[in-house]
């Protein structure tokens, strides 16, 4: 089918220019066969009904084209059916150029612009002027009850062709209403951003001498998250031996700031980074929950340099490391330090199940010998027997135990029974 708009617009002179400029062949493809009957589809209808202005061209007896701007409330150019549009003609400057032109030649060209979306629709049609006397019912359909302007007549246009134009060279422009709408959107986006920033205090939390920034967050298990901490200038941090911990300031949901301790879990050879791993305690006082909910990359802290109440022995006696659950954090750093020092050691790590045990995979890769895992809540799996481990340990070994109170108690009891001197059993309880 031939495009109706092209059929009307592409006169012999127009076609001659197209031929000269090389576009004739492509346009010719749209002009084959009988001419289609133009029919407005959903896109055209929605576009027309959203317009609050358009331009209308008409021609007088002299042949001069005349372009008139028409404006009204959005949708004042009404789609009467898929082939017809119409609008109410309000009282104006009383020149009546368009109305007069239509008396001699009913052909019009409409030009509808959507500046913000850089879209335009061109329509050819034949106009009929109606008034109260000729068709009061149709005039009532064209009227806009909420628009306070006097309707003089109605213009009903039977569409003979339409065409969408490319957006090139349309500068986006906005009506006052559109600007207000965009300001509202931008204002609420800024407000949302500000409230997110308030949740993450701009100010560093705490007042220690050491300024740290959270530079990485990793989910190690469903309840444990690791936080990487760097100095603000990414320089070296105060050295932290295995077993050390940080006193960390935490802002609770009620706004109060409390301190919680977290063991340094990274390999102590890293001088420019600390890492802590935080177990989310749902029935606690909210410290670990607040960390999980508010700390993110960029969170700034001011802390005291690390303290160490759980240091490794400095000589070459063998070691037995026993970790329960989140107690793996200092034990991991200890294993890495002992390996580097070539001190023989065993690592026994117990958790409720595989999914509760942070760092388990990388420990298995790093420590191919002397690494044992146990599950306390998986039927059929080996449970840790602390007394047995201690009984079969190398002669003179030093024991390091970190985990639940019950685990630490079990180690103490076994040491008593086996006659192991208390200074050979080091422990750290998190509670
Ligand atoms: C030296 C040190 C190192 C630590 N390292 C880590 C670490 O690496 N990772 C980590 O996640 N946590 C670590 N902790 C624990 C941490 O400091 C917080 O206590 C923990 O995050 C919970 O804080 P919370 O405010 O969420 O809950 P809290 O209110 O402190 O409660 C946590 C849980 O412990 C129970 N609880 C509270 N007090 C006791 C108690 N006296 N005896 C038994 N149960 C108790 C609560 O019922 C709750 O289930 C460490 C603690 C210390 C002292």
């Amino acid at each position: 089918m031939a495009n109706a708009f092209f059929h009307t617009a592409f006169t012999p002179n127009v076609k001659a220019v197209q031929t000269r400029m090389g576009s004739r062949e492509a346009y010719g493809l749209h002009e084959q066969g009988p001419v289609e009957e133009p029919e407005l589809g959903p896109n055209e209808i929605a576009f027309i009904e959203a317009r609050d202005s358009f331009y209308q061209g008409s021609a007088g007896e002299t042949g001069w084209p005349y372009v008139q701007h028409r404006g009204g409330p959005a949708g004042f150019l009404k789609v009467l059916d898929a082939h017809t549009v119409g609008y109410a003609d309000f009282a104006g400057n009383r020149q009546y150029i368009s109305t007069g032109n239509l008396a001699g030649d009913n052909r019009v060209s409409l030009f509808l612009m959507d500046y913000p979306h850089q879209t335009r629709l061109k329509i050819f049609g034949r106009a009929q002027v109606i008034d109260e006397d000729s068709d009061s019912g149709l005039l009532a359909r064209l009227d806009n009850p909420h628009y306070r302007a006097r309707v003089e007549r109605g213009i009903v246009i039977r569409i003979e062709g339409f065409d969408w134009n490319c957006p090139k060279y349309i500068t986006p422009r906005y009506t006052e209403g559109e600007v207000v709408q965009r300001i509202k959107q931008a204002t609420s986006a800024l407000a949302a951003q500000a409230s997110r920033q308030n949740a993450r205090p701009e100010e560093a939390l705490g007042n220690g001498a050491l300024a740290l920034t959270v530079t990485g967050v990793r989910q190690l298990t469903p309840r444990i998250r690791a936080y990487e901490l760097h100095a603000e200038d990414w320089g070296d941090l105060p050295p932290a031996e295995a077993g050390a911990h940080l006193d960390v300031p935490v802002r609770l949901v009620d706004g109060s700031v409390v301190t919680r301790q977290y063991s340094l879990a990274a390999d102590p050879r890293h001088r420019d980074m600390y890492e802590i791993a935080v177990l989310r305690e749902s029935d606690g006082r909210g410290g670990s929950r607040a960390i999980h909910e508010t700390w993110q990359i960029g969170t700034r802290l001011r802390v005291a340099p690390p303290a160490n109440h759980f240091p490794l022995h400095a000589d070459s006696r063998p070691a037995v490391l026993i970790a329960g659950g989140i107690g793996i954090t200092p034990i991991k750093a200890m294993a890495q330090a002992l390996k580097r020092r070539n001190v023989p050691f065993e690592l026994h790590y117990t958790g409720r199940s595989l999914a509760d045990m942070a760092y388990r995979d990388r420990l298995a890769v790093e420590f191919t010998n002397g690494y044992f895992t146990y599950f306390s809540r998986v039927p059929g799996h080996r449970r840790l027997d602390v007394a047995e481990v201690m009984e079969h340990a190398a002669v003179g070994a030093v024991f390091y135990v970190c985990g639940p109170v019950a685990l630490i108690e079990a180690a103490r009891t076994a040491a008593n029974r086996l006659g192991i001197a208390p200074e050979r059993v080091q422990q750290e309880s998190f509670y």
Side-chain angles (χ1 to χ4, degrees):
M1 296 284 271
N3 178 298
F5 184 91
F6 291 175
H7 178 74
T8 304
F10 296 170
T11 61
N13 280 341
V14 173
K15 286 180 186 171
V17 178
Q18 289 176 351
T19 304
R20 211 167 57 241
M21 303 306 290
S23 59
R24 180 66 211 134
E25 202 177 327
Y27 281 120
L29 296 174
H30 300 280
E31 290 178 78
Q32 290 163 0
V35 179
E36 66 177 5
E37 189 185 354
E39 188 172 297
L40 300 175
N43 284 348
E44 288 80 26
I45 292 173
F47 185 82
I48 292 168
E49 289 179 343
R51 303 280 62 80
D52 61 2
S53 73
F54 65 92
Y55 301 95
Q56 175 184 277
S58 60
E61 302 93 301
T62 56
W64 280 100
Y66 173 72
V67 177
Q68 186 189 28
H69 174 264
R70 311 289 327 180
F76 80 102
L77 177 61
K78 298 195 180 334
V79 177
L80 299 173
D81 59 44
H83 309 280
T84 320
V85 293
Y87 62 92
D89 197 10
F90 305 110
N93 64 5
R94 299 169 68 89
Q95 289 186 341
Y96 302 116
I97 300 175
S98 295
T99 314
N101 283 349
L102 294 180
D105 186 339
N106 66 357
R107 291 174 299 174
V108 289
S109 172
L110 307 186
F111 205 90
L112 281 62
M113 296 290 303
D114 177 351
Y115 288 102
H117 296 101
Q118 296 173 289
T119 318
R120 58 191 150 187
L121 179 65
K122 301 179 296 189
I123 298 175
F124 282 138
R126 289 187 183 271
Q128 180 197 354
V129 181
I130 59 162
D131 58 20
E132 271 294 334
D133 297 332
S134 59
D135 196 336
S136 59
L138 188 51
L139 192 64
R141 277 183 73 192
L142 299 179
D143 197 4
N144 300 278
H146 305 299
Y147 194 56
R148 285 208 249 131
R150 191 168 62 80
V151 179
E152 284 192 333
R153 66 193 65 75
I155 311 293
V156 177
I157 300 163
R158 175 87 187 169
I159 293 172
E160 299 228 338
F162 64 83
D163 183 34
W164 292 93
N165 245 169
C166 83
K168 214 171 163 188
Y169 307 126
I170 300 178
T171 305
R173 296 177 209 281
Y174 301 90
T175 63
E176 194 180 341
E178 286 161 347
V179 170
V180 168
Q181 180 65 21
R182 274 172 168 72
I183 289 174
K184 273 189 191 153
Q185 284 167 353
T187 311
S188 59
L190 277 175
Q193 190 184 2
S195 79
R196 278 198 301 275
Q197 278 167 351
N198 287 343
R200 166 168 46 111
E202 283 290 310
E203 296 278 304
L205 205 54
N207 47 23
L210 187 56
L212 297 177
T213 305
V214 175
T215 53
V217 181
R218 297 186 333 273
Q219 192 81 37
L220 300 182
T221 76
R223 290 175 62 210
I224 301 174
R225 261 182 209 170
Y227 297 89
E228 287 176 17
L229 306 165
H230 276 88
E232 282 193 339
D233 62 359
W234 286 66
D236 277 358
L237 293 164
E241 300 291 334
H245 70 266
L246 276 182
D247 280 355
V248 166
V250 185
R251 190 186 297 279
L252 300 181
V253 277
D254 64 3
S256 61
V257 177
V258 297
T259 303
R260 293 286 183 271
Q261 292 72 36
Y262 293 98
S263 300
L264 298 180
D267 187 334
R269 95 188 139 87
H270 293 302
R271 288 297 316 278
D272 62 343
M273 193 256 290
Y274 297 147
E275 177 168 307
I276 61 172
V278 179
L279 170 70
R280 184 187 171 111
E281 294 277 6
S282 39
D283 59 350
R285 289 161 295 175
S288 56
R289 210 165 50 236
I291 292 177
H292 274 238
E293 283 166 10
T294 61
W295 282 23
Q296 47 192 303
I297 290 176
T299 297
R300 292 162 59 221
L301 308 169
R302 293 195 70 104
V303 301
N308 198 344
H309 307 314
F310 193 37
L312 277 173
H313 58 287
D315 54 54
S316 58
R317 280 176 297 166
V320 176
L321 309 176
I322 302 173
I326 191 62
I328 190 62
T329 45
I331 296 288
K332 167 182 172 289
M334 287 176 162
Q336 288 166 323
L338 289 169
K339 184 178 178 186
R340 194 158 317 101
R341 279 168 45 193
N342 280 324
V343 172
F345 70 95
E346 287 175 5
L347 169 53
H348 299 266
Y349 181 15
T350 180
R352 292 176 181 178
S353 70
L354 207 59
D356 294 308
M357 296 168 70
Y359 300 117
R360 62 179 194 275
D361 289 341
R362 60 175 297 177
L363 292 173
V365 172
E366 244 178 287
F367 307 112
T368 43
N369 290 319
Y371 172 49
F372 308 94
T373 52
Y374 312 85
F375 305 129
S376 59
R377 301 246 178 114
V378 183
H381 271 80
R382 196 164 51 141
R383 290 172 66 96
L384 171 65
D385 183 336
V386 184
E388 194 190 337
V389 166
M390 295 179 83
E391 190 173 353
H392 294 100
V395 178
V398 185
F399 299 89
Y400 296 88
V401 189
C402 186
V405 177
L407 179 71
I408 291 172
E409 274 308 311
R412 269 204 206 115
T413 309
N416 258 341
R417 188 170 61 77
L418 297 167
I420 299 171
E423 67 271 15
R424 280 178 51 213
V425 184
Q426 302 295 319
Q427 72 266 321
E428 184 155 79
S429 168
F430 283 178
Y431 304 108

